């Protein structure tokens, strides 16, 4: 639904490139300091403050910026189209089109909002403290919906073609443009088109569950609770799964610190289950994965060899039969169960704690890490598809850790959502 967002004032928005930041969970200590140094008003100071009590610091700062006029409440409800233009690893340009809105919070059991990842207690406690202190959604979750007719996409395209964006910022090579739509008739068309469509969480599972917990807290403490208060909603960026600019990048696996690792033994073990193709380098591995249509094809990089593997046996005896078919068809499930678990002996607990496992988003980092000797073997994987995300979400199950990387991240600081 439309909402009255909190935005930087028009003068500040002229320099929005030094105001925005990524979401908290992908910000390194180095980037945190760099963002702090970029502007005294960068959104990092709300999203991930450096102070000893970050939550109190964020709340005080938010209040001060509103009082001084650096931030302003939008006077009328709006929906905010948000387009990100970026290049993939091959240098091809893409534009992902979506919009910010306030979305009603639902328990997952209601099947109106569906997850695909497990959550951890630590990040949820952290974000809940931020919700409580600021009474504001500082950063958005990222949701997907399915509309093959692209009703909203056409409405947005028509609007953005005829209006100037209110934010035009570049961050780490990604162009971020946001518009403001307030026409009641247009907003009504948006709502009507999306009213009965489920939302699949692409990114921000911790923030979404925190939103539900915060709503429950506020409702329990409010004897006049109606279900229409702002805390019943959460800031969401929504994109259509049929949008051509919606890309998922793979997340590769690096294995380290195994007590007894033997690369030649691993290769012999893999040959029992996989057809093994000797390869020369990173480029030939890329071609191998592009041309092998199997869900169960991977690249393997060790200190003295590169090879591609493709499952040559029936996968079903190798997989937990209690898992839904949608999960069994995921390449990462077989990789985790058979290769990492059974052949290399890495437990589920060790995977979760990253005791023997690291994750990287660029296959170049796999080759570099193996060459440096910091890891024992790297596995290059194919990207999870949007269809697979939706299929798993609909089963009520979750994917293995680090299954999806939706690129680019939704930026924080374009707008905020007040919950009071």
């Amino acid at each position: 639904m439309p909402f009255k967002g909190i935005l930087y004032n028009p003068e500040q928005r002229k320099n929005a490139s030094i105001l925005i930041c990524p979401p908290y969970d992908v910000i390194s200590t180095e980037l945190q300091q760099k963002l702090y140094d970029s502007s005294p008003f960068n959104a990092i100071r709300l999203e991930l403050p450096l102070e000893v009590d970050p939550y109190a610091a964020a709340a005080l700062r938010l209040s001060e910026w509103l009082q001084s006029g650096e931030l302003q409440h939008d006077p009328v409800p709006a929906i905010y189209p948000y387009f990100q233009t970026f290049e993939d690893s091959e240098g091809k340009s893409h534009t992902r089109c979506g919009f910010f809105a306030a979305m009603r919070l639902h328990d997952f059991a209601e099947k109106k909002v569906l997850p695909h990842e497990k959550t951890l207690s630590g990040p949820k406690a952290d974000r809940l403290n931020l919700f409580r202190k600021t009474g504001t959604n500082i950063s958005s979750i990222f949701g997907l919906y399915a509309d093959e007719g692209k009703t909203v996409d056409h409405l947005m395209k028509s609007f953005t073609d005829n209006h100037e964006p209110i934010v035009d910022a570049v961050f780490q090579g990604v162009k971020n443009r946001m518009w403001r739509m307030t026409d009641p008739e247009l907003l009504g068309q948006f709502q009507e088109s999306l009213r009965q469509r489920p939302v699949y969480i692409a990114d921000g599972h911790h923030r979404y569950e925190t939103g539900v917990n915060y709503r429950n807290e506020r409702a329990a403490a409010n004897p006049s609770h109606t279900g229409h208060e702002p805390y019943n909603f959460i800031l969401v960026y929504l994109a259509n799964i049929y949008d051509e600019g919606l890309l998922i990048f793979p997340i590769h696996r690096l294995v380290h610190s195994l007590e007894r690792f033997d690369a030649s033994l691993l290769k012999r073990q893999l040959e029992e289950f996989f057809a093994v193709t000797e390869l020369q380098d990173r480029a030939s591995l890329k071609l191998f994965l592009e041309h092998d249509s199997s869900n169960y094809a991977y690249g393997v990089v060790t200190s003295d060899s590169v090879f591609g593997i493709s499952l040559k046996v029936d996968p079903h005896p190798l997989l937990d039969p209690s898992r839904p078919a949608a999960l069994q068809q995921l390449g990462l499930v077989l990789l985790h169960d058979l290769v990492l678990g059974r052949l290399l002996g890495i437990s589920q607990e060790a995977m979760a704690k990253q005791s023997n496992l690291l994750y990287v988003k660029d296959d170049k980092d796999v080759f570099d890490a193996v060459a440096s000797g910091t890891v024992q073997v790297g596995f290059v994987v194919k990207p999870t598809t949007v269809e697979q995300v939706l299929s798993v979400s609909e089963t009520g199950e979750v994917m293995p850790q680090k299954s999806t990387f939706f690129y680019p991240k939704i930026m924080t600081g374009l707008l905020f959502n007040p919950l009071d």
Side-chain angles (χ1 to χ4, degrees), residues 259-275:
E259 286 187 16
R260 290 180 292 275
F261 175 76
D262 183 333
S264 58
L265 173 61
L266 173 62
K267 188 175 181 182
R268 291 196 299 273
Q269 290 175 312
L270 290 171
E271 286 171 341
E272 180 183 346
F273 304 98
F274 298 90

Side-chain angles (χ1 to χ4, degrees), residues 65 70 113 131 143 159 185 395:
W65 290 358
E70 304 300 337
V113 178
F131 276 46
F159 181 87
E185 184 178 345
T395 68

Side-chain angles (χ1 to χ4, degrees), residues 20-78:
I20 60 177
C21 70
Y24 73 102
D25 54 348
V26 295
I27 297 175
S28 65
T29 303
E30 293 75 20
L31 179 57
Q32 184 184 27
Q33 187 60 59
K34 183 179 177 181
L35 290 165
Y36 251 78
D37 295 341
S38 68
S39 168
F41 300 107
N42 188 284
I44 187 70
R45 296 169 182 263
L46 305 177
E47 174 75 343
L48 197 64
L50 282 167
E51 284 80 359
V52 175
D53 185 344
Y55 316 110
L60 178 61
R61 199 167 278 137
L62 180 64
S63 175
E64 289 176 346
W65 290 358
L66 282 165
Q67 288 177 10
S68 67
E70 304 300 337
L71 292 176
Q72 298 176 341
H73 286 273
D74 220 343
V76 295

Side-chain angles (χ1 to χ4, degrees), residues 331-349:
L332 285 175
V333 169
L334 183 81
L335 179 69
H336 278 229
D337 285 4
L338 173 62
V339 181
L340 301 181
R342 182 166 156 186
L343 301 186
L344 290 176
I346 304 174
S347 68
Q348 291 292 331
E349 182 182 9

Side-chain angles (χ1 to χ4, degrees), residues 154-348:
H154 296 317
L155 290 171
M156 280 196 300
K157 185 73 167 57
S158 176
F159 181 87
T160 57
D161 282 349
N162 292 286
H163 294 81
E164 290 295 316
I166 62 170
V167 175
D168 192 341
V170 177
F171 185 87
Q172 296 182 340
V174 177
K175 186 177 180 66
N176 298 268
R177 290 171 295 156
M178 187 178 79
W179 290 258
R180 178 173 172 271
M181 291 173 34
T182 58
D183 178 69
E185 184 178 345
L186 190 54
L187 299 182
Q189 290 175 289
F190 261 68
Q191 288 179 280
E192 190 56 38
S193 173
L194 299 169
R195 193 178 305 280
Q196 300 302 322
R197 301 186 192 279
V199 170
Y200 306 85
I201 300 178
D203 203 2
H205 288 77
H206 291 97
R207 276 162 282 171
Y208 185 83
E209 290 191 33
T210 298
V212 172
N213 292 336
Y214 181 74
R215 176 204 64 185
N216 294 344
E217 274 189 7
R218 292 288 302 272
N222 180 8
S224 304
H225 174 78
T226 66
H228 299 294
E229 297 85 357
Y231 59 73
N232 293 284
F233 299 83
I234 193 166
L235 177 63
V236 65
Y237 164 83
L238 289 173
N240 191 351
I241 67 163
Y242 297 102
D243 175 45
E244 293 83 357
L246 180 64
L247 300 185
I248 304 179
F249 290 173
I251 304 179
H252 311 295
R253 274 59 178 155
L254 301 177
V255 175
H256 65 93
S257 307
L258 293 179
E259 286 187 16
R260 290 180 292 275
F261 175 76
D262 183 333
S264 58
L265 173 61
L266 173 62
K267 188 175 181 182
R268 291 196 299 273
Q269 290 175 312
L270 290 171
E271 286 171 341
E272 180 183 346
F273 304 98
F274 298 90
V276 176
T277 304
E278 297 283 351
L279 301 169
Q280 295 300 312
D281 51 23
R282 181 181 166 212
S284 59
L285 175 53
K286 183 178 180 63
L287 287 174
F288 170 83
L289 291 174
E290 285 177 353
H291 292 121
D292 192 307
S293 60
S294 169
N295 284 349
Y296 312 110
Y298 319 90
V300 184
V301 184
T302 66
S303 58
D304 57 2
S305 63
V306 179
F307 49 93
I309 60 173
S310 184
L311 192 68
K312 65 181 182 182
V313 299
D314 181 4
H316 293 98
L318 306 173
L319 295 163
D320 182 348
S322 67
R323 283 200 180 106
L327 263 179
Q328 293 190 27
Q329 290 164 13
L330 283 182
L332 285 175
V333 169
L334 183 81
L335 179 69
H336 278 229
D337 285 4
L338 173 62
V339 181
L340 301 181
R342 182 166 156 186
L343 301 186
L344 290 176
I346 304 174
S347 68
Q348 291 292 331

